[in-house]
């Protein structure tokens, strides 16, 4: 971030884990002491965070501390910082005056770099919701192998997602900036993407939001949130799947409580994706959210002077919800 000292972009040498693994593999012990000596070396991982261990396969178990391409000791703080860096990059780029003989390639490049920061941060944050801290401890350690992420930590990660990825104020840029996104004419891959010369912000933003919706509305998260009740003394302190869906719906459909008569393309795309998931999987919690949303849509349509586009979007949404809830087959679930 601005005015911060520049840190190393890559590790400048061997890390603590490297030295630990080398010592375990090559340290010499007397034959009678080898078993106890190796056990003592291996036990250091329980007290030294720098020696944490997991495999690529462990990245799918729902532990927010197990991630690829993450060298931090606090993925939540790291993700928040990546989002802040992306926003700072956009702010500085939009205010950046270019020399008269320069092209606008840097504008598009920096927009994409910021969006990439958001895309990489979504799974880091989503993993906290319904997340589980895991350990490979042996029986002698007398500790839990699976511990639900504290509810406060889950809610903190959810708050960041709602405020950065699902808020109506996210991904807003000056029209003058968006009309000056130059392309690198020497980039051989420039024409390979779906956007070609033009840059489709709604397409890229929706891809980021889909990733978050896929996780937050998934069966895996619903199951982990429900299973957490058996692992804590007071289940009332937990984040529930119902609370998660209520808060997500409130963020996605915040325009229903706002005063602006328009709902732009970025928001309509997101709302359709959310609606698609509600309509396709009307489990008990989703049905409740769908019923509440249908009532809000009906009230909003009757009480507000929406633009023609917004009114059509909301009317279609209400009809889709009504049709989904009339379906005779309801999927069992949480």
């Amino acid at each position: 971030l601005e005015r911060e000292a520049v840190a190393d972009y890559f590790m400048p040498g061997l890390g603590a884990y490297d030295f630990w693994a080398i010592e375990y593999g090559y340290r010499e012990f007397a034959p009678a002491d080898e078993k106890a000596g190796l056990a003592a070396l291996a036990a250091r991982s329980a007290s030294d965070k720098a020696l944490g261990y997991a495999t690529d396969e462990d990245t799918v178990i729902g532990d927010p501390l197990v991630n690829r391409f993450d060298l931090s000791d606090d993925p939540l703080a790291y993700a928040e910082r990546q989002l802040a860096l992306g926003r700072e990059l956009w702010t500085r780029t939009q205010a950046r005056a270019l020399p008269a003989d320069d092209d606008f390639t840097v504008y598009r490049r920096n927009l994409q770099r910021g969006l990439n920061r958001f895309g990489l941060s979504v799974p880091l944050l989503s993993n906290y919701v319904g997340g589980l801290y895991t350990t490979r401890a042996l029986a002698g350690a007398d500790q839990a192998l699976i511990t639900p992420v504290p509810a406060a930590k889950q809610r903190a990660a959810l708050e960041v997602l709602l405020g950065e990825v699902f808020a109506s104020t996210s991904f807003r840029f000056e029209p003058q900036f968006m009309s000056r996104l130059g392309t690198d004419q020497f980039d051989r891959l420039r024409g390979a993407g779906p956007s070609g010369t033009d840059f489709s912000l709604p397409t890229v933003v929706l891809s980021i939001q889909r990733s978050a919706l896929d996780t937050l509305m998934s069966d895996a998260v619903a199951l982990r949130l429900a299973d957490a009740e058996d692992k804590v003394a007071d289940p009332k302190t937990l984040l529930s799947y119902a609370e998660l869906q209520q808060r997500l719906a409130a963020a996605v459909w915040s325009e229903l409580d706002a005063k602006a008569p328009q709902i732009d393309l970025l928001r309509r795309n997101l709302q359709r994706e959310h609606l698609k998931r509600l309509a396709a999987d009307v489990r008990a919690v989703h049905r409740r959210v769908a019923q509440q949303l249908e009532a809000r849509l009906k009230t909003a349509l009757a009480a507000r002077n929406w633009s023609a586009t917004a009114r059509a979007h909301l009317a279609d949404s209400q009809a889709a919800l009504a049709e989904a809830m009339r379906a005779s087959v309801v999927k069992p679930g949480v």
Side-chain angles (χ1 to χ4, degrees):
L1 295 170
E2 192 173 8
R3 293 186 294 276
E4 280 188 356
V6 178
D8 294 322
Y9 292 107
F10 303 98
M11 290 185 65
L14 295 177
Y17 188 98
D18 300 309
F19 285 107
W20 182 51
I22 292 170
E23 184 178 7
Y24 188 90
Y26 295 98
R27 182 174 174 178
E28 294 184 359
F29 294 95
D33 300 330
E34 184 175 40
K35 183 176 181 180
L38 291 176
L41 277 174
R44 283 168 47 190
S45 64
S47 58
D48 188 344
K49 294 175 66 175
L51 304 181
Y53 173 82
T55 68
D56 282 354
E57 290 76 18
D58 289 337
T59 59
V60 300
I61 62 179
D63 189 334
L65 301 182
V66 180
N67 305 289
R68 296 185 181 94
F69 313 114
D70 170 28
L71 297 178
S72 71
D73 63 351
D74 187 345
L76 175 54
Y78 174 75
E80 289 185 278
R81 192 172 188 279
Q82 292 302 299
L83 296 174
L85 283 169
R87 292 205 177 281
E88 181 179 295
L89 178 63
W90 292 335
T91 299
R92 296 173 68 176
T93 299
Q94 289 184 93
R96 178 176 176 177
L98 301 177
D101 60 348
D102 201 356
D103 60 34
F104 287 101
T105 304
V106 68
Y107 281 7
R108 180 167 179 161
R109 184 183 300 133
N110 286 353
L111 173 60
Q112 291 176 308
R113 284 171 173 165
L115 290 168
N116 288 342
R117 293 299 92 196
F118 271 69
L120 292 173
S121 298
V122 163
L124 296 179
L125 294 165
S126 300
N127 282 344
Y128 277 94
V129 181
L132 303 166
Y133 292 142
T134 61
T135 177
R136 295 171 180 265
L138 300 178
D142 191 26
Q143 67 181 71
L145 292 181
I146 301 174
T147 305
V149 173
K153 198 82 167 179
Q154 293 191 47
R155 291 189 177 98
L158 178 60
E159 196 66 36
V160 176
L161 280 170
L162 297 180
E164 295 285 355
V165 178
F166 295 115
S168 60
T169 54
S170 297
F171 309 110
R172 301 300 173 183
F173 303 96
E174 295 293 334
Q176 183 178 12
F177 172 72
M178 292 303 298
S179 65
R180 287 167 169 76
L181 299 180
T183 59
D184 184 351
Q185 303 298 334
F186 296 99
D187 185 355
R188 292 180 293 116
L189 301 177
R190 178 171 61 88
S195 57
T197 300
D198 195 9
F199 182 83
S200 176
L201 180 66
T203 299
V204 179
V205 168
L206 186 59
S207 176
I208 295 171
Q209 293 170 330
R210 276 176 176 157
S211 174
L213 287 174
D214 286 343
T215 300
L216 297 178
M217 301 183 74
S218 68
D219 288 341
V221 166
L223 185 61
R224 287 202 297 267
L225 288 171
D227 287 346
E229 296 182 6
D230 299 327
K231 300 177 179 68
V232 298
D234 185 4
K236 294 180 180 178
T237 63
L238 296 172
L239 173 70
S240 68
Y241 190 70
E243 178 187 343
L244 168 61
Q245 298 311 315
Q246 293 285 349
R247 296 192 61 188
L248 180 60
V252 170
W253 296 89
S254 61
E255 282 82 1
L256 300 185
D257 299 320
K259 295 183 178 180
Q262 182 61 280
I263 302 177
D264 64 25
L265 180 59
L266 288 179
R267 299 295 290 173
R268 296 199 302 273
N269 284 346
L270 170 61
Q271 290 165 0
R272 290 190 193 101
E273 284 297 319
H274 180 253
L275 195 68
K276 186 188 303 182
R277 287 160 175 78
L278 283 182
D281 186 8
V282 190
R283 66 179 74 200
V285 169
H286 287 178
R287 175 173 288 274
R288 181 180 178 187
V289 173
Q291 289 170 336
Q292 293 173 340
L293 179 56
E294 185 190 21
R296 292 179 64 199
L297 287 168
K298 188 179 298 184
T299 300
L301 282 167
R304 295 274 295 281
N305 184 27
W306 297 100
S307 66
T309 302
R311 179 169 291 279
H313 165 67
L314 296 178
D316 285 346
S317 299
Q318 182 189 352
L321 279 177
E323 180 66 25
M325 289 187 292
R326 281 198 299 268
S328 57
V329 178
V330 179
K331 289 180 61 177
V334 179

